[in-house]
Each structure stands twice: as C-alpha cells, then as structure tokens.
Amino acid sequence: MSGVKGWCPGALRPMESGDGWVVRVKPRGAMLSRDQAQGITDAAERHGNGLIELTGRGNLQLRGVTPDSHAPLIADLRALDLIDPDIATETRRNVIVTPFGGDATDALVRDLETALAASALPLPAKFGFAVDTGPTPVLTRDPADIRIERAGSGLILRADGMGSGAALGSPQDAVALAGWFLERGGAIGGRGRMAALVARGIAPRADIAAPTAAASATPGPTPQGMLAGIEFGQVPPDTLRRLGRLGTLRLTPWRMMLVRGARHLPPMPGLILTADDPRLRLRACPGSPCCAHAHAATRPLARDLAALVPQGAVLHVSGCAKGCGWPRAADMTLTATPQGFDLIRHGCAHDVPALRGLHPDQLPKVL
Ligand code: SF4
C-alpha cells in the first residue's frame, strides 16, 4: 500500500498530502457511537498527527499518517467497525444522511449500505447517494447522484438533475438505479455523474414531483438533539471525545454534527453553537504550516476577516490554487500565491482572479 497523490482518498487507499497521508473514514450510517468517537480519536493521535476533519460528505479525515503507522491505524479502526472489507466496497459506499431522520431512516441507510456492498458495481469514486428522509428535505444542495426523499406520505428515488422521481420500493431500487447509470454509459474511464447523464437526455422513469429545497440547517437545538458547527471542519480531539460521551453523533455534509438526544452543549474548543456565529461564513484548508503546498497560513487570516463577511456570504481562504478547503465557488475566495493573495469573486480557488498579489493588510479594504 502506498499513498496516492491527487486520489480521492479512503481509509484503505490513503492520499498523500503535505503533512503525510490523509486517511478518510466513512462511519456506517454517518453515525459514531460513543466507543467509536473515543476510539477514532485515540487512533488519530496514536497513528497520525491528531488532526481530525469532518468533510463535505460527512466523513472523517485523519491526517499525518505515515507508511509505517497506516497498517496499525487500520487495525484499530477495523476493531471499531469503521473499515470496509476491501477498497472496492469502501469506494462504492458514499452515503450522506439527513441528521433529522428517525429509526426508519437508520434502517433504510443500513439496508442501502448492505445492498451496495453486495452489488459489486464499479461506480465512479465520487458517485454517491443521499438519504434525505426526514420531515423536510435538507440535502438537496449537497452532492449526490441518487437521492431518496420524502414526497407526500411515501418515499421516492430521484436521479440527480431531475425534478421528479419514482416511488421507492426498497433500498435495492437505489442500487438498481446505479446499475442503470452504468449500463447507460454514465461512467466513462471510471468517471461520471448522474446529472451529466441526465443533461445528455438519458433519464430514468420518474412520475412523482420532488420536494422543494428547505432552508439550510444551522447550529442550535433541534427535535433530534443539538446541532453543532465545527470550525473549519476540524474537530479538536478532546472535543470529539466529549461530544461522543454526550450522545450518538450524526455526521453531516455541512461541517456540523448532531448530538442525538442532547438538549444543551457546553462551549468547547472548535465548536460553533449559535446560528449567528460569523465563523459559519468561513472556509479554509489547513494551510501553512500543516500543508507543504501552502503559500501562507489560512485559518488565522480567515478568522481576522470573519466580521467583514456579510451574513449569508462565504469567504474561502485557500493555501494554494487546489482549493481543498472548499472545492466549490464561494462569494469571495482568497488564494495564497508566492506573490501574495489573489481575490476571486464568485468562483473557486483556481479561477481567474479579480485582483492579484494582495498583501494581507490590503484585504479588509478590498473585501
Ligand atoms: S488547498 Fe490547502 S491543503 Fe490543499 S494542497 Fe493547497 S495548501 Fe494544501
């Protein structure tokens, strides 16, 4: 096993980064039990550099793993039931889950993951599923190719890119739709997304209107527990341990965790507990000195600029043009270069900048 540069990482196939290997763990059902929360934190400190990140797909990334520490790390994670049997199964099991579903959602996700594992479908690494079966939809803006949603009193299966879906009989239907995607030429050279196939005019049967998108979730109390934001998506080890002791954790793709059953959370390092916290508007990769590719420190600068970011807008500070911290467009992106910061408006870290080579002292004025 060796780390692969630029690969979409998993746990069994890590990716090389500036601070060592990145190991991405996909907890089953997007949930962590108390023992798993304690165990993964211990493993991150023992076998990596202790940095734990919550990704835009609700997975956990452990950083600073080495060629020597990878095998013992995987053994520890396997003992916690956090590892798939092989790389193919791990690659296929991309499922994001609403934190607001109940036991029926948990059972549905379990069955979907079991069916996916058994399917042997050679799906592209970025191909994924969204189980959005809570009282209102919350995942419509998050990346997924096949969506299970609530429509009226039943559930529908919807191909991403379509405005309607078909009645869901069982989770196996979602796997069948993934097979249909492959049969219809959706993946070429191991890459491809459902929305692109639909845009080519190739669409599955669909006769039930999809629900409309609901408002974004924000930190605070919910009927299912307390939703907590994670600053920059990086959760300090002791914070994860303490959260795990308070309840089962549901991981979301919004850099937030739901602590099931909790009615209150005490302040902890790295947690965002209120909807008006300006840090919710920030995105930033680890930057310098964590990543060898970074041209500048990112998170301290983002914190300094937070108060200047209007409500509802997103500021992304990236250590280089790769844009790992937010691989999407942001209202404002600052990309560090050897000559200073480039400012990109309404684009990604690698897009053409409106201004180049800015000194940090100039940034408050241009933002
Ligand atoms: S975007 Fe940030 S984390 Fe990614 S390679 Fe560049 S500096 Fe490193």
Side-chain angles (χ1 to χ4, degrees):
M1 169 63 58
S2 67
V4 184
K5 267 190 181 154
W7 184 256
C8 196
L12 297 172
R13 182 152 52 170
M15 185 179 76
E16 213 173 302
S17 180
D19 58 349
W21 287 4
V22 176
V23 169
R24 184 173 293 171
V25 181
K26 301 176 179 175
R28 296 183 204 290
M31 278 198 294
L32 279 185
S33 67
R34 174 192 173 117
D35 287 351
Q36 287 175 324
Q38 312 305 311
I40 196 170
T41 310
D42 293 346
E45 290 184 323
R46 192 177 308 130
H47 304 298
N49 58 15
L51 293 184
I52 305 170
E53 296 168 335
L54 180 58
T55 75
R57 291 207 179 202
N59 298 316
L60 289 175
Q61 275 185 178
L62 314 186
R63 303 190 71 96
V65 178
T66 68
D68 287 341
S69 67
H70 183 251
L73 169 67
I74 294 300
D76 284 2
L77 296 176
R78 200 180 287 287
L80 294 162
D81 193 27
L82 288 168
I83 296 295
D84 288 293
D86 52 58
I87 290 174
T89 307
E90 173 181 83
T91 304
R92 207 160 43 237
R93 196 170 59 81
N94 290 322
V95 185
I96 56 174
V97 184
T98 173
F100 307 125
D103 293 346
T105 293
D106 293 349
L108 197 159
V109 174
R110 246 188 335 264
D111 291 348
L112 172 60
E113 291 190 331
T114 301
L116 267 175
S119 75
L121 290 175
L123 293 170
K126 290 189 187 302
F127 194 94
F129 299 76
V131 178
D132 199 2
T133 51
T136 56
V138 289
L139 297 174
T140 45
R141 294 187 201 89
D142 295 293
D145 296 87
I146 293 178
R147 300 175 184 278
I148 299 175
E149 298 168 328
R150 189 168 294 287
S153 58
L155 299 182
I156 62 166
L157 184 63
R158 180 166 70 89
D160 192 45
M162 296 185 65
S164 55
L168 181 84
S170 77
Q172 189 62 49
D173 294 349
V175 178
L177 183 56
W180 172 92
F181 164 82
L182 293 174
E183 284 162 17
R184 300 305 295 264
I188 298 167
R191 291 169 182 251
R193 302 302 300 265
M194 181 68 86
L197 184 68
V198 169
R200 280 162 44 200
I202 304 172
R205 182 180 66 81
D207 49 13
I208 304 173
T212 49
S216 304
T218 52
T222 78
Q224 292 78 19
M226 283 292 293
L227 193 60
I230 309 294
E231 190 190 26
F232 301 121
Q234 186 175 315
V235 55
D238 282 340
T239 295
L240 186 55
R241 284 192 184 94
R242 288 177 66 189
L243 288 175
R245 286 197 285 269
L246 295 173
T248 300
L249 304 179
R250 173 75 87 183
L251 311 181
T252 79
W254 321 308
R255 293 174 171 85
M256 297 184 204
M257 291 184 191
L258 182 94
V259 186
R260 273 193 168 175
R263 293 280 153 255
H264 167 80
L265 290 179
M268 297 180 212
L271 279 200
I272 299 174
L273 298 175
T274 58
D276 59 355
D277 192 313
R279 292 175 297 166
L280 287 170
R281 302 166 210 159
L282 304 178
R283 310 287 184 272
C285 71
S288 183
C290 294
C291 177
H293 302 287
H295 299 293
T298 51
R299 291 177 176 173
L301 176 67
R303 276 191 204 102
D304 287 349
L305 298 172
L308 302 173
V309 185
Q311 184 92 34
V314 169
L315 168 67
H316 174 200
V317 182
S318 185
C320 78
K322 200 170 167 204
C324 307
W326 190 244
R328 315 182 197 176
D331 299 277
M332 296 166 282
T333 300
L334 293 169
T335 301
T337 75
Q339 289 76 39
F341 283 93
D342 288 353
L343 171 64
I344 297 118
R345 294 195 190 277
H346 307 292
C348 301
H350 59 262
D351 283 336
V352 178
L355 295 168
R356 293 181 191 271
L358 297 163
H359 187 276
D361 292 347
Q362 297 173 274
L363 297 175
K365 203 177 281 182
V366 299
L367 290 184

Short mmCIF file of all heavy atoms in Angstrom, two decimals, residues 77-112:
data_model
loop_
_atom_site.label_atom_id
_atom_site.label_comp_id
_atom_site.label_asym_id
_atom_site.label_seq_id
_atom_site.Cartn_x
_atom_site.Cartn_y
_atom_site.Cartn_z
N LEU A 77 -9.00 0.84 13.60
CA LEU A 77 -10.29 1.28 13.08
C LEU A 77 -11.17 0.09 12.73
O LEU A 77 -12.39 0.13 12.90
CB LEU A 77 -10.08 2.16 11.85
CG LEU A 77 -9.34 3.50 12.09
CD1 LEU A 77 -9.12 4.23 10.76
CD2 LEU A 77 -10.13 4.38 13.05
N ARG A 78 -10.55 -0.99 12.27
CA ARG A 78 -11.34 -2.19 11.93
C ARG A 78 -11.97 -2.77 13.20
O ARG A 78 -13.12 -3.22 13.18
CB ARG A 78 -10.43 -3.23 11.25
CG ARG A 78 -11.19 -4.26 10.45
CD ARG A 78 -10.26 -5.27 9.80
NE ARG A 78 -9.49 -4.76 8.68
CZ ARG A 78 -9.97 -4.50 7.47
NH1 ARG A 78 -11.25 -4.68 7.22
NH2 ARG A 78 -9.19 -4.07 6.51
N ALA A 79 -11.24 -2.71 14.30
CA ALA A 79 -11.78 -3.22 15.57
C ALA A 79 -12.98 -2.38 16.03
O ALA A 79 -13.80 -2.85 16.82
CB ALA A 79 -10.69 -3.20 16.63
N LEU A 80 -13.07 -1.14 15.52
CA LEU A 80 -14.20 -0.27 15.86
C LEU A 80 -15.33 -0.37 14.83
O LEU A 80 -16.28 0.42 14.87
CB LEU A 80 -13.71 1.19 15.92
CG LEU A 80 -12.73 1.53 17.03
CD1 LEU A 80 -12.01 2.84 16.72
CD2 LEU A 80 -13.46 1.63 18.36
N ASP A 81 -15.21 -1.29 13.88
CA ASP A 81 -16.19 -1.47 12.80
C ASP A 81 -16.29 -0.20 11.93
O ASP A 81 -17.37 0.20 11.53
CB ASP A 81 -17.57 -1.83 13.36
CG ASP A 81 -18.50 -2.33 12.26
OD1 ASP A 81 -18.01 -2.86 11.25
OD2 ASP A 81 -19.73 -2.16 12.39
N LEU A 82 -15.14 0.39 11.65
CA LEU A 82 -15.12 1.60 10.83
C LEU A 82 -14.46 1.38 9.47
O LEU A 82 -14.22 2.34 8.74
CB LEU A 82 -14.39 2.73 11.58
CG LEU A 82 -15.14 3.33 12.78
CD1 LEU A 82 -14.22 4.21 13.61
CD2 LEU A 82 -16.35 4.12 12.30
N ILE A 83 -14.15 0.13 9.14
CA ILE A 83 -13.41 -0.15 7.90
C ILE A 83 -14.17 -1.17 7.07
O ILE A 83 -14.70 -2.16 7.59
CB ILE A 83 -12.00 -0.70 8.25
CG1 ILE A 83 -11.19 0.37 8.99
CG2 ILE A 83 -11.26 -1.15 7.00
CD1 ILE A 83 -10.87 1.60 8.18
N ASP A 84 -14.21 -0.93 5.75
CA ASP A 84 -14.85 -1.86 4.82
C ASP A 84 -13.90 -3.03 4.54
O ASP A 84 -12.69 -2.94 4.75
CB ASP A 84 -15.17 -1.13 3.52
CG ASP A 84 -16.32 -0.16 3.70
OD1 ASP A 84 -17.44 -0.62 3.94
OD2 ASP A 84 -16.08 1.06 3.64
N PRO A 85 -14.47 -4.13 4.01
CA PRO A 85 -13.61 -5.30 3.79
C PRO A 85 -12.56 -5.08 2.71
O PRO A 85 -11.50 -5.74 2.73
CB PRO A 85 -14.60 -6.40 3.37
CG PRO A 85 -15.90 -5.74 3.15
CD PRO A 85 -15.89 -4.41 3.82
N ASP A 86 -12.82 -4.21 1.73
CA ASP A 86 -11.84 -4.01 0.65
C ASP A 86 -12.03 -2.63 0.04
O ASP A 86 -13.02 -1.93 0.33
CB ASP A 86 -11.99 -5.10 -0.42
CG ASP A 86 -13.43 -5.22 -0.89
OD1 ASP A 86 -13.96 -4.20 -1.37
OD2 ASP A 86 -14.03 -6.30 -0.74
N ILE A 87 -11.08 -2.25 -0.84
CA ILE A 87 -11.10 -0.90 -1.42
C ILE A 87 -12.35 -0.69 -2.29
O ILE A 87 -12.95 0.38 -2.27
CB ILE A 87 -9.82 -0.67 -2.25
CG1 ILE A 87 -8.60 -0.56 -1.33
CG2 ILE A 87 -9.93 0.59 -3.11
CD1 ILE A 87 -7.27 -0.47 -2.04
N ALA A 88 -12.75 -1.71 -3.03
CA ALA A 88 -13.90 -1.55 -3.93
C ALA A 88 -15.17 -1.24 -3.12
O ALA A 88 -15.96 -0.36 -3.48
CB ALA A 88 -14.10 -2.82 -4.76
N THR A 89 -15.37 -1.93 -2.02
CA THR A 89 -16.56 -1.69 -1.18
C THR A 89 -16.49 -0.30 -0.57
O THR A 89 -17.49 0.43 -0.53
CB THR A 89 -16.65 -2.75 -0.07
OG1 THR A 89 -16.59 -4.03 -0.67
CG2 THR A 89 -17.94 -2.64 0.72
N GLU A 90 -15.32 0.07 -0.10
CA GLU A 90 -15.14 1.40 0.50
C GLU A 90 -15.43 2.50 -0.52
O GLU A 90 -16.10 3.50 -0.22
CB GLU A 90 -13.70 1.51 1.00
CG GLU A 90 -13.30 2.88 1.48
CD GLU A 90 -11.85 2.90 1.94
OE1 GLU A 90 -10.95 3.04 1.08
OE2 GLU A 90 -11.60 2.76 3.14
N THR A 91 -14.96 2.33 -1.74
CA THR A 91 -15.13 3.34 -2.78
C THR A 91 -16.60 3.51 -3.13
O THR A 91 -17.08 4.62 -3.38
CB THR A 91 -14.34 2.92 -4.05
OG1 THR A 91 -12.99 2.72 -3.67
CG2 THR A 91 -14.42 3.97 -5.13
N ARG A 92 -17.34 2.42 -3.12
CA ARG A 92 -18.75 2.43 -3.52
C ARG A 92 -19.65 3.02 -2.43
O ARG A 92 -20.70 3.55 -2.72
CB ARG A 92 -19.15 0.97 -3.77
CG ARG A 92 -20.25 0.77 -4.73
CD ARG A 92 -20.28 -0.63 -5.29
NE ARG A 92 -20.06 -1.70 -4.33
CZ ARG A 92 -19.09 -2.61 -4.43
NH1 ARG A 92 -18.24 -2.58 -5.43
NH2 ARG A 92 -18.96 -3.55 -3.53
N ARG A 93 -19.25 2.94 -1.18
CA ARG A 93 -20.13 3.28 -0.06
C ARG A 93 -20.04 4.78 0.26
O ARG A 93 -19.44 5.19 1.24
CB ARG A 93 -19.79 2.43 1.17
CG ARG A 93 -20.88 2.44 2.23
CD ARG A 93 -20.62 1.40 3.30
NE ARG A 93 -19.36 1.58 3.97
CZ ARG A 93 -19.15 2.45 4.95
NH1 ARG A 93 -20.13 3.23 5.37
NH2 ARG A 93 -17.96 2.54 5.53
N ASN A 94 -20.64 5.58 -0.61
CA ASN A 94 -20.72 7.03 -0.40
C ASN A 94 -22.17 7.39 -0.13
O ASN A 94 -22.97 7.52 -1.05
CB ASN A 94 -20.25 7.77 -1.65
CG ASN A 94 -18.76 7.62 -1.87
OD1 ASN A 94 -17.99 7.62 -0.92
ND2 ASN A 94 -18.36 7.48 -3.12
N VAL A 95 -22.51 7.55 1.13
CA VAL A 95 -23.91 7.83 1.50
C VAL A 95 -23.93 9.00 2.48
O VAL A 95 -23.30 8.93 3.54
CB VAL A 95 -24.57 6.59 2.15
CG1 VAL A 95 -26.05 6.86 2.42
CG2 VAL A 95 -24.40 5.35 1.28
N ILE A 96 -24.64 10.08 2.11
CA ILE A 96 -24.87 11.14 3.08
C ILE A 96 -26.30 10.98 3.61
O ILE A 96 -27.19 10.51 2.89
CB ILE A 96 -24.63 12.55 2.49
CG1 ILE A 96 -25.47 12.81 1.24
CG2 ILE A 96 -23.16 12.77 2.19
CD1 ILE A 96 -25.36 14.24 0.72
N VAL A 97 -26.50 11.40 4.85
CA VAL A 97 -27.76 11.07 5.54
C VAL A 97 -28.27 12.30 6.28
O VAL A 97 -27.50 12.99 6.96
CB VAL A 97 -27.52 9.92 6.56
CG1 VAL A 97 -28.85 9.51 7.20
CG2 VAL A 97 -26.85 8.74 5.91
N THR A 98 -29.57 12.56 6.17
CA THR A 98 -30.16 13.63 6.99
C THR A 98 -29.97 13.31 8.48
O THR A 98 -30.17 12.16 8.90
CB THR A 98 -31.66 13.80 6.71
OG1 THR A 98 -32.19 14.74 7.66
CG2 THR A 98 -32.42 12.49 6.82
N PRO A 99 -29.57 14.30 9.27
CA PRO A 99 -29.47 14.02 10.72
C PRO A 99 -30.83 14.04 11.40
O PRO A 99 -30.92 13.74 12.58
CB PRO A 99 -28.60 15.18 11.23
CG PRO A 99 -28.84 16.30 10.28
CD PRO A 99 -29.13 15.67 8.93
N PHE A 100 -31.88 14.38 10.64
CA PHE A 100 -33.20 14.58 11.26
C PHE A 100 -34.16 13.42 11.00
O PHE A 100 -35.36 13.53 11.23
CB PHE A 100 -33.81 15.89 10.76
CG PHE A 100 -32.89 17.07 10.95
CD1 PHE A 100 -32.54 17.88 9.88
CD2 PHE A 100 -32.35 17.34 12.19
CE1 PHE A 100 -31.68 18.96 10.06
CE2 PHE A 100 -31.48 18.40 12.38
CZ PHE A 100 -31.14 19.22 11.31
N GLY A 101 -33.65 12.30 10.47
CA GLY A 101 -34.49 11.12 10.29
C GLY A 101 -34.56 10.35 11.61
O GLY A 101 -33.79 10.61 12.53
N GLY A 102 -35.43 9.42 11.70
CA GLY A 102 -35.55 8.61 12.92
C GLY A 102 -35.04 7.20 12.67
O GLY A 102 -34.19 6.96 11.80
N ASP A 103 -35.63 6.25 13.42
CA ASP A 103 -35.19 4.86 13.31
C ASP A 103 -35.41 4.31 11.90
O ASP A 103 -34.62 3.49 11.41
CB ASP A 103 -35.97 4.00 14.32
CG ASP A 103 -35.58 4.35 15.75
OD1 ASP A 103 -34.56 5.04 15.95
OD2 ASP A 103 -36.34 3.97 16.67
N ALA A 104 -36.50 4.76 11.24
CA ALA A 104 -36.77 4.24 9.89
C ALA A 104 -35.66 4.66 8.93
O ALA A 104 -35.24 3.88 8.06
CB ALA A 104 -38.13 4.75 9.41
N THR A 105 -35.17 5.89 9.08
CA THR A 105 -34.06 6.34 8.23
C THR A 105 -32.81 5.52 8.51
O THR A 105 -32.10 5.09 7.58
CB THR A 105 -33.78 7.84 8.47
OG1 THR A 105 -34.91 8.59 8.00
CG2 THR A 105 -32.53 8.31 7.74
N ASP A 106 -32.53 5.28 9.79
CA ASP A 106 -31.35 4.47 10.14
C ASP A 106 -31.42 3.08 9.49
O ASP A 106 -30.43 2.59 8.94
CB ASP A 106 -31.24 4.29 11.66
CG ASP A 106 -30.95 5.60 12.37
OD1 ASP A 106 -30.62 6.59 11.69
OD2 ASP A 106 -31.06 5.63 13.61
N ALA A 107 -32.61 2.48 9.54
CA ALA A 107 -32.77 1.13 8.97
C ALA A 107 -32.60 1.18 7.45
O ALA A 107 -31.96 0.29 6.85
CB ALA A 107 -34.14 0.58 9.35
N LEU A 108 -33.14 2.22 6.84
CA LEU A 108 -33.04 2.35 5.39
C LEU A 108 -31.58 2.48 4.96
O LEU A 108 -31.12 1.84 4.01
CB LEU A 108 -33.85 3.59 4.96
CG LEU A 108 -34.23 3.73 3.50
CD1 LEU A 108 -35.42 4.69 3.37
CD2 LEU A 108 -33.11 4.22 2.64
N VAL A 109 -30.82 3.31 5.69
CA VAL A 109 -29.40 3.50 5.35
C VAL A 109 -28.63 2.19 5.53
O VAL A 109 -27.80 1.83 4.69
CB VAL A 109 -28.79 4.62 6.23
CG1 VAL A 109 -27.29 4.73 6.00
CG2 VAL A 109 -29.46 5.95 5.94
N ARG A 110 -28.93 1.49 6.61
CA ARG A 110 -28.26 0.19 6.84
C ARG A 110 -28.50 -0.75 5.67
O ARG A 110 -27.57 -1.36 5.14
CB ARG A 110 -28.80 -0.44 8.13
CG ARG A 110 -27.78 -0.53 9.22
CD ARG A 110 -28.21 -1.31 10.44
NE ARG A 110 -29.62 -1.41 10.71
CZ ARG A 110 -30.28 -0.61 11.56
NH1 ARG A 110 -29.66 0.37 12.17
NH2 ARG A 110 -31.56 -0.78 11.78
N ASP A 111 -29.76 -0.83 5.23
CA ASP A 111 -30.09 -1.73 4.13
C ASP A 111 -29.44 -1.28 2.83
O ASP A 111 -28.98 -2.10 2.02
CB ASP A 111 -31.62 -1.81 3.95
CG ASP A 111 -32.29 -2.53 5.12
OD1 ASP A 111 -31.55 -3.15 5.91
OD2 ASP A 111 -33.52 -2.45 5.24
N LEU A 112 -29.41 0.04 2.61
CA LEU A 112 -28.77 0.56 1.39
C LEU A 112 -27.28 0.22 1.39
O LEU A 112 -26.73 -0.24 0.37
CB LEU A 112 -28.98 2.08 1.30
CG LEU A 112 -28.23 2.79 0.18
CD1 LEU A 112 -28.65 2.26 -1.19
CD2 LEU A 112 -28.46 4.31 0.25
#
